[in-house]
Amino acid sequence: MAWLVVRLAISVSLLYTASAVFEDQVGKFDWRQQFIGKVRFALFDTHSQASKKLLVATDKNVFASLNSRTGDLFWRHVDKIGPEGHIDALLMYGQDAVVVTGNGRLLRSWETTVGGLKWETVLDTGRLFMLFCVNIRINWCIKLTVSTFDHSFQAAALVGVQDFVKYVAVLKKSAISLHDLSSGSQIWVENLPDSDTVQYQTIYSGGNGLVFVFGVVPNSHIVIVEYKIEDGEIMRKKSVEAAWMSSLESSCTVISSGILLCVDQITQSLYTLQLQSAEQTEIRQIHLQTLDLEVASGFQPVLTSTQPNPAQPPLSEFFLQLSPDHHILLQLKDGLIAPLRDFNPSYLAAFATSGERTVAAVMSPKNDTACSINLFSADTGRRHLDTTIIYHMDPNGGKPNRLYVHAFLKKDDSVGYRVMVQTEDLTLTFLQQPGRVVWVREEALADVVTMEMVDLPFTGTQAELEGEFGKKADGLLPMVLKRLSSQFILLQAWLAHLWKLFYDARKPRSSVKNEVTIDTLSRDEFNLQKMMVMVTASGKLFGIDSKSGTILWKQYLENIQPDSVFKLIVQRTTAHFPHPPQCTLLIKNKDTGLGNLYVFNPIFGKKSQISVPALPRPVLQTLLLPVIDQDYAKVLLLIDDQYKVTAFPSTKNVLQQLQDTASSIFFYLVDSSQGKLSGFRLRKDLSTELIWEVVIPTEVQKIVAIKGKRANEHVHSQGRVMGDRSVLYKYLNPNLLAVITESTDTHQERSFVGIFLIDGVTGRIVHEAVQRKARGPVHFVHSENWMVYVYWNSKFRRNEFSVLELFEGAELYNSTVFSSLDRPHPPQVLQQSYIFPAPISTLEATLTEKGITSRHLLVGLPSGNILSLPKMFLDPRRPEVVSEQSREENLIPYAPEMPIREEWFINYNQTVSRIRGIHTAPSGLESTCLVVAYGLDIYQTRVFPSKQFDVLKDDYDYVLISSVLFGLFFATMISKRLAEVKLLNRAWR
Amino acid sequence: MQQMKRLLVVYVALQALFALSWCFSDAEPGPAAGSQSNGDRFKIEGRAIVPGVKTQDWISTARILVEGEEYVGFLKTDGSFAVNDVPSGSYVVEIVSPSFRFDPVRVDITSKGKMRARLVNYIKTSEVIRQPYPLQIRSSGPHTYFMKRETWGWTDFLMNPMVMMMVLPLLIIVLLPKVVNTNDPEMRKEMEQSMNMLNPNPELPDVSEFMTKLFSKGSSKSSGGNKGSRSVAPKRR
């Protein structure tokens, strides 16, 4: 009975404390890095000199405030994914930042110091048409509403009156509205005239009580509408002939006191138009030739002007970009355009204003690896002395493509500046004079597509030791000597380590830096530190140290299509010294399916010199075989659309091995558009033959996901011991595929989710289940003999977990080897479902070295937390009525609702925004599983699903145990003495 | 004028067909108070309160999530919030903050824009326990992410069943003879009697006696076992 009590106590303690974090463990083995994405708008807070704020809005629908001195986030707001959260414009005035979101749907004003919303208004331009509706004919009314429903965002601008910015104007395709800057209330909204023919694109206000709206009818004329700020009355409307004009954006700008300036590549001319004068109805043409300028052929010239204060007209100086590396600063004076300074060559140019002074920063190439940035005064084009910043380009990175300048006045009234450079590979570099890099952010990591964790290599000494066992024996004495020498090396290394510890201990704690560099990398005792190889959507590869999060190498792959599909394969691990580890990245174009291979060393990030097979045909499937070539690289098979197989590496040795094993190599293909699953077998000549085909009719349901089991997964026990001491054997089919389908009918009464378990070799459907009144998105994990999936129950509007477990029964058919071809008995399938009281972003299971440790499910929640849910709760054998036997088995009684405890959040308050994937990898310790969660942020930690049973816990009380030991020791000494005295006394008696 | 009226009637009738059309719901006579409707899209409003904490200390990390991340809202500097552009339906509205815990609320929006807030119950989904609308969501305190370390204390040690099993008999053995006056001959007799009752076979060798004999031979060597032998010593007397 006592035994049972103890066991129960253990199980209860397991239940309640498994995988929790202790407060003193914070930051000990976990880290988080927060990202924002590709910057689309960046504004420096110029409101006060001491301000460190840098406001950014990105393509990931993130609006954030960065500390410009450190690059850290002050705060960050993550909006909805997709067009509804898309940030269209960012304007800033004083402490407030105005953001237009969702294609002109919402106008928000943020309090930038706190990071809270000041006000939010819906930009609704539909109201106006209703007034017409009632009066005019109905048919027409409906037509009108439909056509005007398309009010997509065009432009936004701050509007000032008499040196004071009071309003913000928002231009949409068919309407313009003016809002109060302090409350967000709409002052007026007006329809734009002839909005069905005229494309209104830009807006301008020069602080004189008027708002100008520019529209264009392509290749015909420009329309300029003038609104009065007070009530939105149209003051004037004029149209100007401009047959050459196709779009206003980027080719037109307003300079000086209301002069519209445009540039055209075909006519090689600049055009100016006085906005306010009623007389000028003709646009003035200035040939670029008269200025000795020429636009590079095929390049769309870009005009950049600056308006330092929205309440005042813009400056009369502007940049004209003539080719990708040629800018020129021009000035409009007395109706004449004169060049101030020619920057040839120059990559980027930008204006910045501090106080009353406006400067221009220009980045020009210096040599192959560096660029120099210089400051020029905007009104004269004269160079400021001692303002050069040298920007060193990363040889493994991309070219700079955006320049953001922060100008400030120094104490001696000269202008100082800092710059932020964004490159093609989404690196943000913040530089200070004279070229000091203040901080760097790798924003490509905001979009990690796939990743792998690679073991670190042994150090020289470790490798030496390993080498000793690898070599063939050559006599007794040399072996002994070798042994002794390697032991001596170990001793040396240990002494060096001790010395370092001693040396570091004398220094103050803060100055001791444990900097990880690529050269000091080596495997630790328990293989807890690994190299995280991350592939990002922009085509930049990263090697990150899993212990500290330091980026050890990065490599930008150029010419990657924006929506490519990546697959990362580890072909050779670090275990085969002296062969370097090898990773292969398959980059596939989403549309054409054409792929190419990039082979690299995952530890150093260097491209490998191995010749890569050309892939002329679209790749359908890849297959990593356990077959290895003479250099210990696993063989990768690539199947093209004619079902021909390419092997990589394809040495003679490999081809020979493939011929021998061809009859046992099977693979499957999925065609979700036709709902077809097919299985193939390899032939000796590397062609393939169709073995089976399963068609899931696409009219009813479509295949949304398919998953096999992870190749590096180990199952420790073949069965489960039941309460009556019999064994229930697991159905462990390594070839089992889980196929998820969703119904094409999305009506909530008729929609369903289908689950098929298909044997990948024979095509046999092992199990089929349909979840009625359910819809996706389905997240699932397929492992060992079970599968867990989550779906949305549309009837009860909740998420539900369902678990399927497959058992062979009380007897194993063939206990030594599993063959898909010889399994006559279908498995017993057990299933149970539970309510999960939260939405789910992603799902993954923990993985350990030998599979002894109990499994946990890692559930990524939209709140950013990662829940570690014991698999014990997802056991289809959970009884409804507790019996003696179920208690014996430690089965938890069935409860419909799954518990969510805050202690189970493995990332405590380090939430991961928009969590998209969780990667789990085993470590050298059986108890420990490494977890990396990625999304907008990256979080790395370790989890201990069955607690740390194989190492001493962190809180192991050394003091207590040693004091008890010493206490006992002294007690025995004293009692010994006492016993002697007593014996002596007795002898005297 | 007459024609105008007729047109209006026709218009209204047609509008009824387009019940979900956006221009209709604006003309709708009485959408529930507080819910501004924008076409067939509505606005969920409310306020979040964390007692005893200034709003600027936590609002920058908090978000309002409606049905996962389907609709997202942000908090204003005074703690109020509004989630725009939500079509009619039933949603779970949740305030997500890494520091404070908020209970989710289910908000039902009818096609006419009537709002209702109720407690979330995933098991009995149709059960209605009304909550105030516009939402008033009060934080139930900071999150408790961390487990308490088992700290070593004397009370824990003493309350351990094993220790109790060892210490209590020891106390009885040591203290009882002192409490009970053993010099009193009557008492001694009584005790002897009770001992005999317990031990009906006096010929059987006493285990404790046997042990003491065993240990006293090598008493200088045995250390840990001394405790045991000492504890039985008074019994022998």
Side-chain angles (χ1 to χ4, degrees):
Chain A
M1 192 59 212
W3 172 80
L4 195 89
V5 167
V6 170
R7 237 186 101 170
L8 239 159
I10 289 170
S11 74
V12 166
S13 71
L14 260 179
L15 260 178
Y16 284 89
T17 62
S19 205
V21 185
F22 296 101
E23 196 153 5
D24 52 271
Q25 286 180 323
V26 165
K28 221 168 181 180
F29 45 74
D30 64 326
W31 50 264
R32 175 180 68 164
Q33 288 173 7
Q34 290 185 304
F35 299 98
I36 47 175
K38 180 186 181 178
V39 172
R40 292 183 62 239
F41 306 100
L43 294 173
F44 288 94
D45 182 9
T46 50
H47 190 62
S48 73
Q49 283 289 336
S51 174
K52 291 182 250 177
K53 266 179 297 191
L54 164 61
L55 294 177
V56 285
T58 71
D59 69 334
K60 291 263 175 289
N61 305 351
V62 173
F63 177 52
S65 170
L66 296 177
N67 183 339
S68 66
R69 308 287 152 83
T70 60
D72 297 333
L73 289 169
F74 280 129
W75 47 260
R76 180 182 71 174
H77 287 291
V78 182
D79 208 341
K80 207 179 152 180
I81 311 168
E84 281 164 75
H86 184 262
I87 296 171
D88 301 310
L90 168 65
L91 306 164
M92 191 175 171
Y93 190 74
Q95 289 294 308
D96 302 334
V98 178
V99 173
V100 184
T101 320
N103 203 4
R105 184 75 187 139
L106 292 171
L107 187 67
R108 286 183 178 137
S109 173
W110 294 91
E111 164 66 57
T112 55
T113 40
V114 177
L117 203 59
K118 239 180 120 184
W119 49 259
E120 181 181 76
T121 39
V122 181
L123 296 174
D124 198 11
T125 47
R127 281 163 185 274
L128 225 80
F129 303 108
M130 276 191 13
L131 296 172
F132 303 141
C133 276
V134 188
N135 303 333
I136 311 164
R137 278 180 132 162
I138 296 143
N139 280 345
W140 191 76
C141 161
I142 291 163
K143 212 185 269 169
L144 182 90
T145 54
V146 169
S147 72
T148 52
F149 204 72
D150 170 37
H151 35 241
S152 60
F153 174 77
Q154 294 297 336
L158 292 171
V159 180
V161 186
Q162 290 157 352
D163 290 355
F164 196 72
V165 181
K166 267 183 166 170
Y167 309 108
V168 56
V170 179
L171 176 74
K172 295 202 194 174
K173 212 158 195 160
S174 56
I176 175 171
S177 57
L178 196 78
H179 298 263
D180 187 69
L181 205 53
S182 57
S183 69
S185 58
Q186 182 178 288
I187 311 284
W188 49 261
V189 56
E190 289 295 328
N191 277 310
L192 294 165
D194 309 324
S195 61
D196 44 345
T197 52
V198 184
Q199 298 172 11
Y200 290 98
Q201 287 173 335
T202 51
I203 196 167
Y204 160 75
S205 165
N208 50 3
L210 294 170
V211 176
F212 293 91
V213 174
F214 305 109
V216 64
V217 178
N219 303 321
S220 170
H221 59 274
I222 305 174
V223 179
I224 299 161
V225 191
E226 216 175 296
Y227 286 96
K228 210 166 124 189
I229 285 180
E230 283 81 41
D231 52 4
E233 187 191 335
I234 296 182
M235 300 299 283
R236 197 181 301 152
K237 177 179 179 260
K238 65 179 173 185
S239 65
V240 183
E241 287 294 316
W244 43 270
M245 163 108 19
S246 58
S247 170
L248 277 163
E249 277 166 301
S250 84
S251 67
C252 281
T253 183
V254 178
I255 57 160
S256 196
S257 50
I259 291 167
L260 181 72
L261 180 77
C262 293
V263 65
D264 180 47
Q265 186 234 330
I266 296 155
T267 54
Q268 294 271 349
S269 306
L270 284 170
Y271 298 89
T272 57
L273 179 70
Q274 197 82 31
L275 287 178
Q276 268 161 312
S277 72
E279 307 89 63
Q280 196 192 353
T281 48
E282 283 271 309
I283 197 157
R284 249 184 69 204
Q285 185 175 16
I286 303 162
H287 280 285
L288 281 173
Q289 270 174 338
T290 59
L291 299 164
D292 281 336
L293 298 173
E294 196 187 356
V295 178
S297 62
F299 181 77
Q300 176 67 42
V302 180
L303 282 170
T304 317
S305 67
T306 180
Q307 187 176 8
N309 186 348
Q312 273 163 10
L315 298 184
S316 53
E317 290 81 21
F318 59 96
F319 270 114
L320 172 62
Q321 189 178 9
L322 296 165
S323 77
D325 51 0
H326 188 189
H327 291 78
I328 185 159
L329 183 67
L330 298 157
Q331 189 184 35
L332 181 88
K333 208 173 184 183
D334 310 327
L336 287 172
I337 288 176
L340 284 177
R341 198 177 181 115
D342 193 1
F343 301 101
N344 192 13
S346 59
Y347 290 145
L348 300 164
F351 285 109
T353 305
S354 176
E356 295 295 303
R357 316 247 301 256
T358 301
V359 287
V362 179
M363 181 193 260
S364 356
K366 191 163 184 259
N367 52 37
D368 285 349
T369 58
C371 289
S372 65
I373 302 162
N374 282 299
L375 209 59
F376 300 87
S377 78
D379 45 357
T380 57
R382 204 173 295 136
R383 194 169 88 92
H384 285 234
L385 291 174
D386 303 324
T387 55
T388 310
I389 291 180
I390 306 293
Y391 169 70
H392 291 278
M393 286 191 284
D394 184 2
N396 299 328
K399 285 200 199 92
N401 62 0
R402 291 292 285 276
L403 184 69
Y404 301 97
V405 185
H406 179 212
F408 53 90
L409 287 175
K410 287 189 196 162
K411 283 201 185 89
D412 59 349
D413 210 34
S414 62
V415 181
Y417 74 121
R418 305 184 184 96
V419 289
M420 185 170 80
V421 183
Q422 179 171 290
T423 54
E424 282 172 343
D425 57 331
L426 310 185
T427 307
L428 288 179
T429 315
F430 195 81
L431 298 140
Q432 216 175 33
Q433 275 172 292
R436 192 170 74 85
V437 175
V438 185
W439 49 262
V440 177
R441 289 181 72 92
E442 290 290 350
E443 289 306 332
L445 284 171
D447 203 350
V448 174
V449 182
T450 177
M451 67 167 294
E452 279 294 339
M453 284 185 119
V454 184
D455 293 350
L456 291 176
F458 292 113
T459 54
T461 48
Q462 283 170 325
E464 188 92 4
L465 274 179
E466 288 287 308
E468 187 193 333
F469 301 111
K471 276 168 202 152
K472 294 274 182 300
D474 44 6
L476 193 66
L477 200 66
M479 288 275 279
V480 171
L481 283 178
K482 206 176 274 173
R483 172 97 275 215
L484 284 176
S485 72
S486 53
Q487 290 292 355
F488 179 70
I489 291 168
L490 273 186
L491 185 73
Q492 234 178 347
W494 186 64
L495 285 176
H497 175 70
L498 279 187
W499 169 246
K500 194 176 174 293
L501 272 184
F502 174 69
Y503 192 74
D504 283 350
R506 293 190 307 171
K507 284 195 272 183
R509 193 128 190 101
S510 55
S511 71
V512 181
K513 268 193 220 155
N514 283 323
E515 280 219 354
V516 195
T517 56
I518 227 158
D519 310 307
T520 58
L521 271 189
S522 70
R523 197 180 293 191
D524 61 334
E525 250 175 307
F526 299 126
N527 200 6
L528 289 166
Q529 189 180 5
K530 294 200 182 199
M531 178 67 87
M532 291 159 51
V533 180
M534 296 195 129
V535 182
T536 62
S538 61
K540 197 169 186 184
L541 309 182
F542 290 91
I544 300 174
D545 169 37
S546 77
K547 197 178 176 187
S548 61
T550 323
I551 295 170
L552 295 173
W553 59 264
K554 48 200 171 188
Q555 179 73 50
Y556 178 55
L557 308 178
E558 275 166 69
N559 307 324
I560 300 274
Q561 252 69 39
D563 55 347
S564 297
V565 183
F566 297 92
K567 187 162 184 179
L568 185 64
I569 301 136
V570 182
Q571 276 195 296
R572 184 166 52 219
T573 62
T574 34
H576 306 286
F577 188 81
H579 297 289
Q582 182 183 324
C583 271
T584 303
L585 180 68
L586 173 72
I587 306 149
K588 206 170 108 174
N589 191 314
K590 206 171 194 174
D591 301 323
T592 60
L594 288 173
N596 58 314
L597 293 173
Y598 177 79
V599 185
F600 62 100
N601 179 334
I603 303 298
F604 301 106
K606 289 198 189 83
K607 192 178 178 186
S608 152
Q609 299 304 317
I610 298 167
S611 63
V612 174
L615 302 169
R617 302 209 62 85
V619 179
L620 293 184
Q621 174 74 292
T622 57
L623 192 62
L624 189 69
L625 295 184
V627 176
I628 50 170
D629 72 346
Q630 69 271 33
D631 291 338
Y632 304 101
K634 282 184 184 165
V635 176
L636 180 69
L637 293 187
L638 301 147
I639 294 103
D640 65 20
D641 63 342
Q642 291 189 332
Y643 312 115
K644 287 274 185 326
V645 173
T646 316
F648 171 70
S650 56
T651 55
K652 221 171 176 186
N653 178 311
V654 169
L655 294 177
Q656 183 60 44
Q657 284 190 61
L658 280 180
Q659 274 192 12
D660 297 343
T661 54
S663 60
S664 62
I665 295 173
F666 297 85
F667 59 91
Y668 69 91
L669 294 177
V670 194
D671 186 347
S672 59
S673 61
Q674 291 177 27
K676 202 164 74 179
L677 277 164
S678 37
F680 291 83
R681 174 157 67 179
L682 196 67
R683 284 211 196 110
K684 283 199 190 318
D685 59 343
L686 291 189
S687 62
T688 54
E689 61 180 319
L690 186 72
I691 304 264
W692 55 267
E693 205 169 52
V694 173
V695 177
I696 293 163
T698 46
E699 306 87 69
V700 186
Q701 52 191 332
K702 60 176 191 296
I703 300 170
V704 287
I706 186 159
K707 242 189 230 174
K709 290 177 189 171
R710 287 178 68 163
N712 57 347
E713 173 184 280
H714 292 274
V715 182
H716 179 68
S717 65
Q718 287 215 310
R720 285 188 59 165
V721 181
M722 316 276 284
D724 59 356
R725 296 287 174 274
S726 65
V727 177
L728 189 62
Y729 286 100
K730 294 174 182 170
Y731 178 78
L732 296 167
N733 185 348
N735 309 318
L736 201 64
L737 301 173
V739 181
I740 302 285
T741 63
E742 274 176 37
S743 62
T744 46
D745 189 350
T746 50
H747 186 270
Q748 64 158 9
E749 286 293 312
R750 294 184 295 270
S751 66
F752 64 88
V753 167
I755 298 99
F756 296 86
L757 294 175
I758 297 177
D759 190 302
V761 171
T762 58
R764 183 161 100 160
I765 297 177
V766 174
H767 182 67
E768 188 180 346
V770 168
Q771 210 75 47
R772 292 198 190 283
K773 289 175 188 165
R775 63 171 167 81
V778 179
H779 302 279
F780 66 109
V781 174
H782 182 207
S783 173
E784 287 187 40
N785 66 324
W786 50 264
M787 182 191 159
V788 172
Y789 57 93
V790 196
Y791 54 88
W792 173 258
N793 185 325
S794 49
K795 188 181 173 196
F796 293 110
R797 290 190 298 260
R798 63 192 181 200
N799 278 295
E800 287 181 8
F801 259 110
S802 196
V803 57
L804 281 171
E805 275 194 33
L806 283 78
F807 291 100
E808 291 227 348
E811 270 173 48
L812 266 186
Y813 176 72
N814 180 350
S815 61
T816 49
V817 70
F818 188 95
S819 168
S820 286
L821 303 169
D822 182 29
R823 280 280 137 157
H825 312 297
Q828 301 169 7
V829 182
L830 302 177
Q831 182 165 18
Q832 220 167 50
S833 296
Y834 317 87
I835 301 164
F836 190 72
I840 285 175
S841 300
T842 184
L843 193 65
E844 188 52 78
T846 60
L847 190 69
T848 52
E849 182 85 10
K850 296 271 181 274
I852 301 167
T853 309
S854 59
R855 307 290 296 269
H856 275 207
L857 285 171
L858 301 173
V859 188
L861 306 175
S863 63
N865 285 114
I866 303 163
L867 178 78
S868 177
L869 187 67
K871 170 73 177 56
M872 217 179 187
F873 280 97
L874 291 153
D875 186 342
R877 298 182 60 252
R878 279 175 70 175
E880 276 176 48
V881 184
V882 185
S883 69
E884 191 62 38
Q885 290 198 355
S886 70
R887 207 176 288 137
E888 186 97 329
E889 266 191 82
N890 273 334
L891 293 175
I892 309 159
Y894 181 79
E897 195 167 327
M898 197 69 78
I900 294 184
R901 294 210 181 92
E902 284 172 348
E903 294 96 59
W904 289 351
F905 290 148
I906 57 170
N907 57 342
Y908 47 105
N909 66 358
Q910 305 286 299
T911 51
V912 184
S913 288
R914 283 206 205 125
I915 185 161
R916 200 170 51 239
I918 298 174
H919 183 88
T920 52
S923 72
L925 281 177
E926 172 56 32
S927 65
T928 309
C929 170
L930 304 176
V931 176
V932 181
Y934 54 88
L936 193 61
D937 306 335
I938 296 174
Y939 180 75
Q940 190 276 144
T941 190
R942 297 171 195 164
V943 291
F944 319 102
S946 304
K947 299 175 109 175
Q948 285 173 289
F949 57 80
D950 45 7
V951 278
L952 287 183
K953 274 185 252 161
D954 307 342
D955 62 338
Y956 189 77
D957 209 334
Y958 293 96
V959 178
L960 180 71
I961 201 104
S962 44
S963 64
V964 165
L965 268 176
F966 279 112
L968 280 176
F969 180 72
F970 286 118
T972 47
M973 296 283 280
I974 291 161
S975 59
K976 191 179 162 188
R977 177 85 194 124
L978 286 176
E980 271 171 14
V981 170
K982 202 173 183 183
L983 270 179
L984 195 69
N985 285 345
R986 194 178 284 174
W988 274 105
R989 204 180 280 165
Chain B
M1 198 62 210
Q2 192 77 347
Q3 200 187 356
M4 184 83 175
K5 253 184 191 169
R6 211 170 60 215
L7 260 173
L8 250 172
V9 169
V10 175
Y11 167 69
V12 170
L14 253 170
Q15 288 277 312
L17 287 174
F18 294 91
L20 287 174
S21 141
W22 59 273
C23 59
F24 177 65
S25 50
D26 233 18
E28 186 54 42
S35 67
Q36 277 182 19
S37 53
N38 294 307
D40 59 340
R41 299 272 173 140
F42 306 97
K43 187 174 178 182
I44 299 173
E45 285 174 301
R47 178 184 290 273
I49 304 143
V50 182
V53 182
K54 279 188 205 147
T55 47
Q56 62 251 44
D57 295 340
W58 63 276
I59 50 163
S60 66
T61 51
R63 287 203 291 171
I64 311 355
L65 299 185
V66 179
E67 212 64 59
E69 264 185 314
E70 217 151 305
Y71 305 96
V72 178
F74 300 101
L75 284 150
K76 283 187 193 154
T77 40
D78 60 350
S80 64
F81 62 86
V83 184
N84 286 300
D85 280 350
V86 183
S88 59
S90 174
Y91 306 94
V92 175
V93 179
E94 205 175 351
I95 300 175
V96 172
S97 157
S99 351
F100 296 100
R101 192 192 313 127
F102 294 91
D103 290 326
V105 179
R106 187 176 279 284
V107 173
D108 300 321
I109 310 172
T110 61
S111 57
K112 288 179 181 172
K114 264 203 154 63
M115 302 282 212
R116 171 176 82 172
R118 57 189 170 110
L119 274 186
V120 177
N121 189 338
Y122 285 107
I123 297 172
K124 274 190 251 163
T125 46
S126 52
E127 191 190 47
V128 179
I129 299 173
R130 278 287 188 120
Q131 295 286 96
Y133 187 88
L135 302 170
Q136 293 283 332
I137 304 178
R138 192 173 281 271
S139 165
S140 52
H143 285 295
T144 49
Y145 291 120
F146 301 111
M147 295 294 301
K148 272 255 169 64
R149 279 271 187 213
E150 291 162 26
T151 47
W152 196 86
W154 283 104
T155 46
D156 298 344
F157 178 72
L158 289 178
M159 288 303 148
N160 191 327
M162 298 298 275
V163 175
M164 297 266 267
M165 256 147 70
M166 267 167 64
V167 169
L168 274 181
L170 197 83
L171 282 178
I172 290 164
I173 289 160
V174 173
L175 291 181
L176 254 185
K178 300 209 168 151
V179 173
V180 185
N181 193 358
T182 41
N183 290 335
D184 188 7
E186 269 179 46
M187 190 62 113
R188 189 174 285 188
K189 214 176 205 174
E190 211 170 282
M191 272 180 75
E192 257 165 30
Q193 262 177 7
S194 62
M195 285 299 273
N196 285 345
M197 287 252 289
L198 276 171
N199 199 356
N201 196 354
E203 281 86 53
L204 212 76
D206 192 10
V207 185
S208 56
E209 213 140 318
F210 174 73
M211 290 292 270
T212 34
K213 265 182 202 161
L214 195 84
F215 279 109
S216 58
K217 266 176 202 164
S219 65
S220 57
K221 272 177 195 165
S222 69
S223 51
N226 266 359
K227 242 189 204 169
S229 60
R230 255 189 294 154
S231 69
V232 290
K235 209 177 192 177
R236 193 162 42 119
R237 245 180 250 163

